[in-house]
């Protein structure tokens, strides 16, 4: 495989992993530039399909110009990887530039020899960065990223199931408020150890996820439902989305039954299942579908789970059970063969 062909194959894999190409002026030297942001880190990758040093200064200059814009993209650290690709190994891989004065720009240099399929790194440079080393070896051996079963074209499609779930929850809450039967509905359809295990009323594992204790309870769940549920439905399709939602809610209810100490209602288990699913999606596909990078999603998930422990009356076991089951179910769906 020639260095030029490897560069082309690597580009295809990088784009699938949320590395975004940088548009360059026509008079810019020929090398490929990519950016990937994982707050608080911004990664710049420069790929040059030969082992010449003639463009090192151009890459370093681009990195230094981007360094000044870090506050605008909410990043504090910039990593610049200069990757050259040639037929033979080099006697020495030199760093792109010295450490910058501000201390937040880190230069890394790699060289990949196509004849020997070996990766060389400069002294002090890591040999792993955001999975680029794996993509490089995959491109060199002709491997492709595993196929997923997500819908690529969601144009014109509407999250009908998500709207339906919200409508059912809102209608049941409104009915209880208008008729004054909220307490009766809570007792009749909530989930608890006594009712599920003691009385064998397993239907409560499903009914509980459609009832809410207040408008604020429904509103808080609906924010996550519309943001993450809409995306999950369009990508998975209605049937798999319903399965994801119900399994997450049921698993959350089961955790509440076996580990909780009081009756509970709400769609939180299913909602946290959607959050877990979107965390896995972001890990696999980057910010392409969720609008958030992986680091941000981890922070959001941690914050959402932790906030439950700061309030009284929150069923944290249902949150945790739904989150873990949703992540697992989505992972299996994502990698399932069509």
């Amino acid at each position: 495989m020639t260095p030029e062909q490897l560069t082309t194959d690597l580009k295809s894999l990088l784009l699938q992993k949320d590395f975004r190409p940088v548009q360059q002026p026509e008079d810019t030297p020929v090398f490929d530039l990519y950016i990937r942001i994982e707050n608080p880190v911004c990664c710049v990758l420069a790929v040059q399909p030969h082992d010449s040093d003639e463009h090192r200064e151009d890459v370093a200059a681009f990195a230094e110009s981007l360094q000044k814009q870090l506050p605008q993209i909410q990043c504090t650290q910039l990593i610049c990887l200069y990757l050259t690709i040639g037929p033979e190994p080099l006697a020495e891989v030199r760093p792109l530039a010295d450490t910058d004065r501000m201390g937040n720009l880190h230069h890394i240099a790699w060289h990949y020899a196509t004849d020997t399929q070996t990766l060389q790194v400069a002294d002090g440079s890591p040999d792993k960065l955001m999975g680029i080393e794996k993509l490089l070896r995959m491109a060199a051996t002709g491997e492709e990223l595993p196929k997923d079963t997500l819908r690529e074209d969601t144009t014109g499609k509407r999250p009908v199931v998500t709207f339906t779930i919200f409508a059912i929850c809102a209608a049941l809450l409104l009915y209880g408020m208008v008729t004054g039967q909220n307490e009766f509905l809570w007792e009749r359809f909530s989930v608890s150890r006594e009712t599920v295990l003691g009385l064998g009323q397993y239907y409560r594992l499903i009914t509980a996820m459609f009832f809410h204790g207040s408008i604020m309870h429904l509103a808080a769940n609906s924010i996550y439902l519309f943001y993450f549920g809409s995306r999950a439905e369009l990508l998975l399709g209605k049937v798999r989305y319903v399965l994801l939602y119900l399994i997450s809610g049921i698993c959350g209810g089961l955790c509440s039954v076996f580990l909780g100490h009081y009756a509970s209602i709400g769609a939180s288990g299913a909602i946290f299942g959607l959050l877990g699913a979107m965390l896995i999606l972001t890990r696999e596909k980057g910010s392409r579908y969720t609008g958030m990078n992986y680091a941000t999603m981890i922070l959001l998930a941690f914050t959402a789970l932790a906030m439950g422990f700061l309030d009284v009356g929150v069923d944290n076991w249902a949150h945790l059970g739904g989150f873990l089951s949703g992540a697992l179910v989505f992972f299996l769906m994502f990698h399932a063969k069509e």
Side-chain angles (χ1 to χ4, degrees), residues 171-190 211-213 265:
L172 292 173
L173 177 61
L174 181 61
Y175 173 79
M177 295 175 62
V178 171
T179 62
Q181 298 190 59
N182 268 338
E183 186 174 347
F184 167 77
L185 294 174
W186 177 292
E187 295 177 354
R188 188 70 179 84
F189 298 107
S190 63
F211 287 88
H212 291 78
I265 57 173

Side-chain angles (χ1 to χ4, degrees), residues 32-105:
D32 294 334
L33 270 177
Y34 305 90
I35 288 181
R36 178 171 174 177
I37 297 176
E38 290 285 352
N39 298 102
V41 177
C42 175
C43 176
V44 174
L45 170 62
V47 182
Q48 187 168 306
H50 48 82
D51 51 16
S52 172
D53 289 343
E54 59 181 307
H55 302 319
R56 299 173 66 90
E57 294 183 359
D58 299 295
V59 176
F62 174 82
E64 291 174 359
S65 65
L66 183 61
Q67 181 185 19
K68 301 175 183 178
Q69 304 176 38
L70 288 180
Q72 302 175 25
I73 57 178
Q74 300 178 342
C75 290
T76 59
Q77 301 294 320
L78 176 61
I79 299 176
C80 180
L81 170 57
Y82 182 60
L83 170 63
T84 58
I85 301 176
E88 299 178 354
L90 298 179
E92 179 186 12
V93 179
R94 296 191 297 110
L96 181 63
D98 296 330
T99 303
D100 72 296
R101 292 185 298 273
M102 297 177 63
N104 61 350
L105 171 57

Side-chain angles (χ1 to χ4, degrees), residues 93-232:
V93 179
R94 296 191 297 110
L96 181 63
D98 296 330
T99 303
D100 72 296
R101 292 185 298 273
M102 297 177 63
N104 61 350
L105 171 57
H106 313 278
H107 292 289
I108 299 174
W110 291 355
H111 176 77
Y112 190 85
T114 56
D115 289 351
T116 59
Q117 295 188 349
T118 55
L119 177 65
Q120 299 175 273
V121 300
D123 290 340
S125 294
D127 58 359
K128 296 180 180 179
L129 178 64
M130 290 189 174
I132 298 174
E133 73 288 345
K134 295 180 181 178
L135 299 179
L136 183 58
R137 292 189 174 94
M138 289 178 66
T141 56
E143 295 182 55
E144 296 182 356
L145 290 172
K147 299 293 183 181
D148 59 64
T149 57
L150 298 180
R151 290 180 172 179
E152 292 294 336
D153 183 16
T154 59
T155 306
K157 294 181 173 61
R158 295 183 180 277
V160 178
V161 175
T162 299
F163 283 111
T164 302
I165 292 172
F166 171 77
I168 293 174
C169 294
L172 292 173
L173 177 61
L174 181 61
Y175 173 79
M177 295 175 62
V178 171
T179 62
Q181 298 190 59
N182 268 338
E183 186 174 347
F184 167 77
L185 294 174
W186 177 292
E187 295 177 354
R188 188 70 179 84
F189 298 107
S190 63
V191 64
S192 67
R193 184 178 305 173
E194 292 75 13
T195 56
V196 175
L197 297 183
L199 301 178
Q201 296 175 349
Y202 301 106
Y203 66 86
R204 290 173 179 261
L205 292 171
I206 295 179
T207 58
M209 71 179 79
F210 292 98
F211 287 88
H212 291 78
S214 66
I215 294 178
M216 287 302 298
H217 188 193
L218 175 62
N221 281 342
S222 297
I223 294 174
Y224 286 91
L225 174 64
F226 280 111
Y227 189 86
F228 294 120
S230 299
R231 287 164 169 77

